[in-house]
Amino acid sequence: DQQVKQNSPSLSVQEGRISILNCDYTNSMFDYFLWYKKYPAEGPTFLISISSIKDKNEDGRFTVFLNKSAKHLSLHIVPSQPGDSAVYFCAASASNYGQNFVFGPGTRLSVLP
Amino acid sequence: KAGVTQTPRYLIKTRGQQVTLSCSPISGHRSVSWYQQTPGQGLQFLFEYFSETQRNKGNFPGRFSGRQFSNSRSEMNVSTLELGDSALYLCASSLKTGMAGNTIYFGEGSWLTVV
């Protein structure tokens, strides 16, 4: 049973436009969410996080939105750059789960020049 | 500030052998967790150590084990290797554990191939 889902395996966006990556979760105990970017043969790099007490968090070109009632979060990248081409993972955790982060399967983003 | 360091980066082992992977967390970080990444299963949580104690364990067989030393460095061991153990093993560290808002930072990973 997948607790964290990223239903789009891949996404292509034109350079300069907005990239929107989506993530859905099923476990209502999750209270902290993170996005990671991963290039081939490298470890995931932390991008941005959001706590369940917020509905939006911004960091430069990256914004994460959380809709708790829909158990849905999204990552917006504006403007998209070719260097953003990577696999993006959504991860979720619950305070009483320790460091047991549950990861989604990832979405491969391709930003076309 | 150095990131999470994992050694070795690449290794090839034979079925039935055992392997030990090492992880040095970010300086000051006391929690170390391990994840396995495979194409079919994605990133899966193995276990987490904090203050030399295992705090959480994922759904992996007992062949997968780990430990943490007093300097927070950690090792994971896989015994009686199977072909299906071929994967990227990722170590992640964080300042604390069991708290909301605790971000984990990954190392580059150790690529294990079992032949």
Side-chain angles (χ1 to χ4, degrees):
Chain A
D1 177 33
Q2 257 191 346
Q3 296 188 72
V4 177
K5 304 175 186 179
Q6 293 176 258
N7 292 322
S8 298
S10 62
L11 174 69
S12 292
V13 170
Q14 209 68 35
E15 181 179 3
R17 306 292 292 269
I18 183 171
S19 293
I20 300 177
L21 297 109
N22 293 304
C23 178
D24 297 288
Y25 61 97
T26 57
N27 191 336
S28 58
M29 297 296 292
F30 288 146
D31 55 12
Y32 187 56
F33 306 88
L34 307 92
W35 284 93
Y36 288 84
K37 176 172 74 173
K38 188 178 185 301
Y39 294 117
E42 292 185 13
T45 302
F46 170 71
L47 279 175
I48 192 168
S49 63
I50 188 166
S51 162
S52 60
I53 62 172
K54 294 185 174 182
D55 54 20
K56 178 182 173 182
N57 189 25
E58 282 182 85
D59 185 0
R61 297 186 298 115
F62 302 93
T63 303
V64 56
F65 295 91
L66 175 63
N67 182 334
K68 280 184 62 180
S69 60
K71 294 192 178 68
H72 176 84
L73 62 155
S74 60
L75 174 68
H76 293 210
I77 306 174
V78 183
S80 301
Q81 300 172 354
D84 296 330
S85 298
V87 177
Y88 288 78
F89 292 95
C90 166
S93 73
S95 301
N96 58 352
Y97 285 10
Q99 295 304 87
N100 182 358
F101 285 82
V102 180
F103 282 79
T107 295
R108 181 177 300 279
L109 173 65
S110 299
V111 180
L112 310 172
Chain B
K1 188 173 181 181
V4 178
T5 305
Q6 291 188 244
T7 57
R9 289 294 318 277
Y10 305 92
L11 65 167
I12 300 174
K13 289 285 187 177
T14 306
R15 270 183 303 175
Q17 286 186 314
Q18 66 93 26
V19 67
T20 299
L21 308 177
S22 180
C23 173
S24 292
I26 293 171
S27 178
H29 284 196
R30 296 173 59 195
S31 168
V32 173
S33 49
W34 290 88
Y35 287 79
Q36 181 197 63
Q37 185 183 21
T38 58
Q41 299 295 324
L43 271 155
Q44 291 188 292
F45 173 77
L46 279 157
F47 30 64
E48 182 218 353
Y49 287 86
F50 182 82
S51 294
E52 301 177 66
T53 302
Q54 188 179 88
R55 297 294 298 262
N56 270 295
K57 191 176 192 307
N59 294 324
F60 279 82
R63 299 185 297 106
F64 292 81
S65 63
R67 59 177 175 167
Q68 186 180 34
F69 303 95
S70 58
N71 61 359
S72 295
R73 192 177 69 84
S74 176
E75 289 180 347
M76 69 162 281
N77 185 79
V78 188
S79 62
T80 320
L81 283 166
E82 301 176 359
L83 295 178
D85 297 333
S86 296
L88 175 65
Y89 290 88
L90 290 158
C91 170
S93 76
S94 64
L95 271 171
K96 300 177 183 177
T97 185
M99 294 173 57
N102 204 17
T103 300
I104 60 173
Y105 298 90
F106 285 92
E108 301 269 296
S110 292
W111 284 96
L112 170 65
T113 301
V114 182
V115 297

